[in-house]
Amino acid sequence: MSPQSNNNNFFGIKVSKPGINVNQASPSQLIYQNDYSAETFFGTKGNISFGQNKDGSQGMQVVDESGFLLFELNGETWYWYDKVNNVNVMQIGLLPDGTYGMVIAKPGYDVNSLFT
């Protein structure tokens, strides 16, 4: 564990897997990382991040081991994704048409296609 590291201009907290030098650890060798804008828990089947999402919004993201986004909560909307069909299957909160509510698409369909 390192409370602060100058490695790659990182400032925050990192915890690496046992036997790995935390200052040289790749993302796949980490168990936990907090750079004070996002907090990420790394698992063998994916990651859970809290704080700043990749799009800059604040919330939570669940990503599988291949990097596919399975679930996202930003400031206004919850999204669930179908990895097999690569579609957004459920949305709660702010909808694509600007209203608020909940939409669930039929299997294989994307929620966003319901609003086009």
Side-chain angles (χ1 to χ4, degrees):
M1 184 168 108
S2 174
Q4 176 179 341
S5 169
N6 293 325
N7 187 26
N8 296 325
N9 297 318
F10 179 81
F11 181 81
I13 300 169
K14 287 183 180 180
V15 179
S16 62
K17 293 179 181 177
I20 304 294
N21 180 330
V22 73
N23 293 315
Q24 298 170 350
S26 68
S28 66
Q29 296 172 316
L30 294 176
I31 297 170
Y32 173 79
Q33 176 177 308
N34 185 343
D35 68 1
Y36 303 119
S37 70
E39 183 176 17
T40 304
F41 297 89
F42 298 90
T44 58
K45 297 293 182 184
N47 309 326
I48 300 175
S49 297
F50 301 92
Q52 187 168 2
N53 292 331
K54 292 179 183 179
D55 65 2
S57 66
Q58 294 294 314
M60 178 179 129
Q61 292 182 326
V62 178
V63 179
D64 75 3
E65 67 272 12
S66 70
F68 187 87
L69 182 64
L70 298 170
F71 170 83
E72 179 178 17
L73 168 61
N74 64 33
E76 298 184 283
T77 312
W78 296 38
Y79 302 91
W80 283 267
Y81 299 95
D82 173 354
K83 181 178 181 176
V84 174
N85 296 303
N86 197 24
V87 292
N88 177 9
V89 294
M90 184 172 166
Q91 196 164 321
I92 299 174
L94 182 62
L95 300 176
D97 67 355
T99 62
Y100 286 85
M102 179 174 93
V103 178
I104 301 171
K106 290 181 180 180
Y109 288 89
D110 193 299
V111 165
N112 294 314
S113 70
L114 305 173
F115 293 89
T116 57

